[in-house]
Amino acid sequence: YYQGRCPALHTLRHTTMVVEVRLLLERSLSREEYEVEFFYGHELAITSTRPDGAIVVQRAQKTALVFLEADCGTERLTSPHTYSLLGKFRDGYAPYFDTEQYKKDFAWAGSLHGFRVALVLLGPKRLANVQRLLAANSLDFVLLATMDDIMREGVHAPVWRSHDGNIVDILGRRHG
């Protein structure tokens, strides 16, 4: 079933969350004028980090790249010795952004100018804690939303919070 055995409950919960976001994305952006491709993390050949998914959004001649991370609250936010959420962003995604390796990895998608990481969390308290952590570390490419927000409004809706508290859509555009 899962590497020959039944998956742990937290693995099953996480996998279900990623699939739910994908389904919500399909429903949400299909009404818009976008062409959307979704890839699960295991389908990607990225060495610096392993996202839960990647979303390539195209409209007219513009292309956006958004990595998906689903957070079930089981990972440490910070840790000097073990894996942590901050470490994944600071040591995985930030160098990937700075070196522009994503342009080579996703060259087939067209011209890319940066990327976003959409982090979906289960609750507002953890979202607030992660937002403070991102702001303190100037990780401005990460967007945050709760699962409830995107289930209610849609993945494309302006329910995402930037590191500095602005409300934006999944492409990082301000609304309102």
Side-chain angles (χ1 to χ4, degrees):
Y1 175 69
Y2 179 79
Q3 298 176 346
R5 62 190 193 290
C6 185
L9 183 57
H10 70 276
T11 301
L12 190 56
R13 186 179 307 128
H14 180 266
T15 302
T16 301
M17 190 172 174
V18 173
V19 171
E20 280 185 304
V21 172
R22 180 184 184 171
L23 294 172
L24 289 166
L25 175 76
E26 303 260 340
R27 189 177 334 144
S28 183
L29 286 177
S30 66
R31 291 180 277 157
E32 302 290 326
E33 301 168 4
Y34 299 103
E35 186 176 325
V36 180
E37 293 186 72
F38 182 94
F39 303 90
Y40 289 103
H42 68 273
E43 297 175 310
L44 301 170
I46 299 173
T47 56
S48 64
T49 191
R50 175 57 65 103
D52 295 325
I55 305 161
V56 177
V57 181
Q58 295 178 318
R59 182 179 181 194
Q61 299 299 318
K62 294 184 178 183
T63 304
L65 174 61
V66 180
F67 292 108
L68 172 67
E69 292 290 345
D71 178 76
C72 294
T74 57
E75 298 173 353
R76 292 176 184 257
L77 293 182
T78 63
S79 174
H81 306 294
T82 62
Y83 176 85
S84 70
L85 199 57
L86 175 62
K88 185 168 191 170
F89 295 130
R90 186 188 56 221
D91 304 331
Y93 283 112
Y96 190 60
F97 188 93
D98 293 341
T99 63
E100 297 187 341
Q101 180 63 38
Y102 65 91
K103 289 183 178 185
K104 295 174 189 157
D105 293 343
F106 290 87
W108 58 266
S111 180
L112 294 170
H113 304 286
F115 62 81
R116 299 285 183 179
V117 178
L119 176 61
V120 181
L121 302 111
L122 290 179
K125 184 176 180 184
R126 183 144 170 113
L127 185 146
N129 290 334
V130 172
Q131 185 176 353
R132 280 192 295 277
L133 191 62
L134 296 174
N137 288 274
S138 300
L139 296 170
D140 59 355
F141 54 86
V142 183
L143 301 175
L144 310 169
T146 66
M147 195 67 183
D148 286 343
D149 290 339
I150 63 172
M151 287 184 83
R152 184 176 52 254
E153 302 293 332
V155 176
H156 74 290
V159 296
W160 298 88
R161 289 157 188 83
S162 63
H163 74 295
D164 56 3
N166 288 313
I167 303 297
V168 297
D169 66 15
I170 195 167
L171 302 176
R173 301 175 301 192
R174 285 187 184 189
H175 289 262

